[in-house]
Amino acid sequence: MPEALRRIRLSAGAYGLSREERARLPTVAAERLRAPVRWTREPDAAGHPAFSGHIAEGHDRRYVTDARWIEEAFADGW
């Protein structure tokens, strides 16, 4: 994952993020990845077939995995 970390750092620099914005970026990114999980799981629980298909295909797990990776990769800061 060194390449992914390099790209995230490069993107943060290209957007001119401040030190404080960079510090918040992993938390915000993880939160944004978890939002679609909620949006998918809630309709699935209500029996909506389209969302049930997404759950069956593991789309929710991918977002959760990515969110955890970001949190772990940046646990010690930039």
Side-chain angles (χ1 to χ4, degrees):
M1 292 295 166
E3 178 62 14
L5 290 171
R6 185 188 75 77
R7 288 180 183 210
I8 291 169
R9 289 182 180 111
L10 184 64
S11 295
Y15 280 102
L17 298 184
S18 69
R19 182 172 294 210
E20 287 117 11
E21 290 168 327
R22 285 177 187 242
R24 289 193 318 265
L25 182 61
T27 300
V28 171
E31 289 172 0
R32 296 294 183 253
L33 284 166
R34 286 191 173 94
V37 172
R38 287 189 302 276
W39 301 334
T40 304
R41 289 180 178 171
E42 290 170 5
D44 170 58
H48 194 291
F51 290 92
S52 298
H54 291 299
I55 297 294
E57 293 170 5
H59 296 209
D60 59 327
R61 291 187 305 271
R62 175 62 190 257
Y63 286 111
V64 170
T65 299
D66 289 348
R68 285 182 187 147
W69 179 83
I70 288 171
E71 291 167 336
E72 291 170 9
F74 290 93
D76 296 329
W78 290 79

